[in-house]
Amino acid sequence: MSETLSRRSFLGAVAAASTLAPAASPVSFHVPPLRRAQHPVAVSSRNGLKSVEIAVQKMKDGLPPVDAAVLGVEPVENDPEDTSVGYGGLPNADGEVELDSCVMDGRSGLAGAVAALKNIKNPAQVALKVMRRTDHVLLVAEGALRFARMHGFVEENLLTEKARKEWVEWRERLSKEDDWVDPQENGPMGKEYVRQTGTIHVGCVDQNGDVGGCTTTSGLAFKVPGRVGDSPLIGCGNYVDNDFGVAGSTGRGEAVILCNGAHRVVRYMADGRTPTDACLDALKDLVRFTKVKRLLRADGKPDFQVNFYAVNKRGEIGGAALYPSKHARCDEDGPRVVDSAALFG
Ligand code: GLY
């Protein structure tokens, strides 16, 4: 039998079968979608108290959840005092600010992302454009910058004086063996400086039960130039499934990438777990994957922090972290910061 005939008979069989199938959906789900939310709700990292309020208001105004999330993170991207995101973010090891962001839209099932983007302070807006104006998901570095320029984003110096001084002090403290003189011990960073992996994630579910999410960051402070964390990677720093909910992360990006954190949380919600339990179970997996000694404390627990945030399609909000932490949320009771569940107290 020729390949053509074989293909034709296969297509005929498919056509015959499809006349017997229910007309409404071309596919069947093994897990029924959750009942939808009644009110718009949003979750965010602790630095997103204003963001969740903005996002909920934008959804009430009729914007899709993904747009609401992007508008929610914008004031934090613009804030020079937040050294973990956008303008004022701490630079890479060469003193250059490189930003990462992604967005995902549940209704269309599409996503957009940029990584190692320089000179543009609102990478989440650029990620949204990648989603809407290209057939791609992720643009990086020079290509992402050229795309941003093409869409009229204005280039500016993102390195504030505050961030520059922190970078210089980090560089001077790096080694006793190099030619940089250590700053005084009581310098602004102090002796116990911990490299920052701050970020903002906003996850949204609207009154129609549609789901969207956004994560944006300047990434690990003083990273190796070109390093990309979890934030712009779909399924790692942010993931949306319109039948079940949204999840995102902040903290050590490498650990989140290695367990596909946000996707894992959403899958656990699809399996019936509450958002907080889904976050906790994903954290347990992350701990299981953390094996090398340099990443462990003396008691065997991870030597870093990771937070997961989640909202299910019903509008139930949850958050959990490896160690005690907080998250921001907004529902019909308004915006507030609350404790996250902690895997290790
Ligand atoms: N979670 C942010 C980063 O690791 O880049």
Side-chain angles (χ1 to χ4, degrees), residues 100 197-199 217-220 227 229-231 249-254:
D100 297 339
T197 51
T199 294
T217 190
S218 50
L220 178 66
R227 176 264 189 190
D230 57 326
S231 304
S249 65
T250 60
R252 182 180 156 80
E254 283 72 10

Side-chain angles (χ1 to χ4, degrees), residues 77 82-100 115-121 123 141 145 156-161 163-164 167 217-223 225-227:
E77 288 182 328
D82 191 319
T83 54
S84 70
V85 179
Y87 177 63
L90 290 174
N92 65 20
D94 291 344
E96 292 181 304
V97 181
E98 289 183 324
L99 303 181
D100 297 339
L117 175 65
K118 293 179 188 166
N119 299 346
I120 306 288
K121 76 176 169 194
L145 178 58
E156 54 195 295
N157 176 20
L158 304 181
L159 187 66
T160 58
E161 272 302 281
R164 186 189 62 77
W167 166 64
T217 190
S218 50
L220 178 66
F222 321 130
K223 59 196 169 188
R227 176 264 189 190

Side-chain angles (χ1 to χ4, degrees), residues 200-222:
I200 183 167
H201 166 76
V202 173
C204 292
V205 178
D206 73 9
Q207 55 277 25
N208 305 311
D210 286 323
V211 185
C214 169
T215 302
T216 179
T217 190
S218 50
L220 178 66
F222 321 130

